[in-house]
């Protein structure tokens, strides 16, 4: 294993700090860092077009929220077009809705920015070996979600993700390009399938 990864994060200090830590204290090398989805995709396309597959990393660490765009969309594109790359989402958000969305986009790991260095390295090691990793403090909620997800349609999963991210029905409507009334219908169905009386109980149960 060549132990190379890229990092995509629009916080320049965190980006350079994480690169420095990994290269100075671990066996990981970070040949490229990016502040946007566009920069990352352009560099990968350059490697692909030149036939330089050796330059494509094993892992890319991606911030959930990039400047003006979603890190989830980058994970989705990488999952579709670069099957060898394993994505790890690195975030300030530690709610189960973000983890659920990351998994559904194809991410293999999810860890918060306040996790210890040891836990980050454990995450990278497990993902590199083909496993999946969720930060320890987030696992209990994820296990509950794993039990209910098979009962849900694709759209219900997407709406549950947003509810667990504390999005309002209007915000969900705008993000998914469906009417508020349609969202309300889905939310009502989710209450039944998840055995919850209301939104607060749903969030408490799975958040």
């Amino acid at each position: 294993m060549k132990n190379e990864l890229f990092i995509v994060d629009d916080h320049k200090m965190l980006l350079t700090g994480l690169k420095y830590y990994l290269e100075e204290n671990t066996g990981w090398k970070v040949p490229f860092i990016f502040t946007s989805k566009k920069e990352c995709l352009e560099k990968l396309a350059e490697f692909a077009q030149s036939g330089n597959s050796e330059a494509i990393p094993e892992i890319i660490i991606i911030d959930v929220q990039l400047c003006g765009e979603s890190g989830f969309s980058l994970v989705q594109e990488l999952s579709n077009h670069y099957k060898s790359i394993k994505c790890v989402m690195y975030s300030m958000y530690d709610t189960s809705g973000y983890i659920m969305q990351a998994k559904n986009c194809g991410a293999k790991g999810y860890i918060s920015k306040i996790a210890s260095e040891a836990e980050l390295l454990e995450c990278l090691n497990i993902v590199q070996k083909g496993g999946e990793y969720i930060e320890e403090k987030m696992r209990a909620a994820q296990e509950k979600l794993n039990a209910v997800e098979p009962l849900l349609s694709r759209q219900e999963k997407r709406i549950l993700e947003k509810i667990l991210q504390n999005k309002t029905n209007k915000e969900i409507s705008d993000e998914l390009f469906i009417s508020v009334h349609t969202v309300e219908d889905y939310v009502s169905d989710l209450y039944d399938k998840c055995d919850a009386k209301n939104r607060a109980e749903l969030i408490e149960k799975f958040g």
Side-chain angles (χ1 to χ4, degrees), residues 100 148-159 186 190 193:
M100 186 179 180
V148 77
E149 275 195 82
L151 306 176
L152 307 180
S153 69
R154 182 173 180 273
Q155 189 75 315
E156 285 170 339
K157 289 178 185 178
R158 295 177 73 192
I159 290 172
Y186 275 114
L190 283 169
K193 291 186 177 183

Side-chain angles (χ1 to χ4, degrees), residues 28-96:
W28 286 96
K29 298 300 177 189
V30 188
F32 292 96
I33 56 177
F34 309 100
T35 58
S36 72
K37 168 184 170 179
K38 180 174 180 287
E39 289 176 356
C40 179
L41 290 174
E42 284 178 349
K43 181 57 68 174
L44 291 172
E46 178 186 313
F47 293 148
Q49 288 164 10
S50 66
N52 188 11
S53 60
E54 286 298 310
I56 293 176
E58 297 175 87
I59 293 174
I60 300 183
I61 298 175
I62 301 167
D63 190 6
V64 164
Q65 191 62 55
L66 301 172
C67 185
E69 56 191 351
S70 166
F72 294 116
S73 65
L74 175 55
V75 173
Q76 188 74 66
E77 288 203 44
L78 294 174
S79 299
N80 291 338
H81 301 294
Y82 297 93
K83 303 293 187 184
S84 66
I85 296 174
K86 303 174 182 73
C87 297
V88 170
M89 301 216 78
Y90 194 49
S91 173
M92 290 302 297
Y93 304 107
D94 59 4
T95 61
S96 55

Side-chain angles (χ1 to χ4, degrees), residues 1 3 5-6 18 21-22 26 28 58-61 86-88 109 111 117-131 133:
M1 293 185 181
N3 285 10
L5 60 83
F6 295 172
L18 182 56
Y21 169 77
L22 289 170
T26 77
W28 286 96
E58 297 175 87
I59 293 174
I60 300 183
I61 298 175
K86 303 174 182 73
C87 297
V88 170
I111 192 162
E117 289 90 346
E119 189 154 21
L120 173 60
L121 294 178
E122 182 183 6
C123 173
L124 294 175
N125 182 51
I126 288 173
V127 169
Q128 183 186 36
K129 291 177 179 176
Y133 189 89

